[in-house]
Amino acid sequence: MPVYEYHCDKCRREVEITQSISEHGKGAVACPKCGSTALRPLVSSFFTQTSRKS
Ligand SMILES: [Zn+2]
């Protein structure tokens, strides 16, 4: 499953969340650290192209 990177406004840190594509499409995502849904996706083609392979 793909890993998405978000910035949590509550933790003020970046978190990685593994989501299925269908889950990602729904936009229902919560911070794994604090449970906040105040997450902003880090949309960066740079990251997706250079991130480590899973
Ligand atoms: Zn958080």
Side-chain angles (χ1 to χ4, degrees):
M1 285 207 286
V3 175
Y4 296 94
E5 293 187 325
Y6 292 86
H7 181 271
C8 177
D9 282 342
K10 202 160 184 178
C11 302
R12 295 191 177 177
R13 61 185 293 171
E14 291 172 13
V15 295
E16 291 184 347
I17 299 176
T18 305
Q19 280 184 305
S20 68
I21 291 174
S22 60
E23 279 176 326
H24 183 69
K26 285 185 219 162
V29 58
C31 175
K33 310 282 186 193
C34 71
S36 169
T37 54
L39 297 180
R40 283 181 286 139
L42 298 178
V43 278
S44 169
S45 56
F46 174 80
F47 269 122
T48 53
Q49 301 225 348
T50 59
S51 63
R52 57 209 171 278
K53 295 191 168 37
S54 56

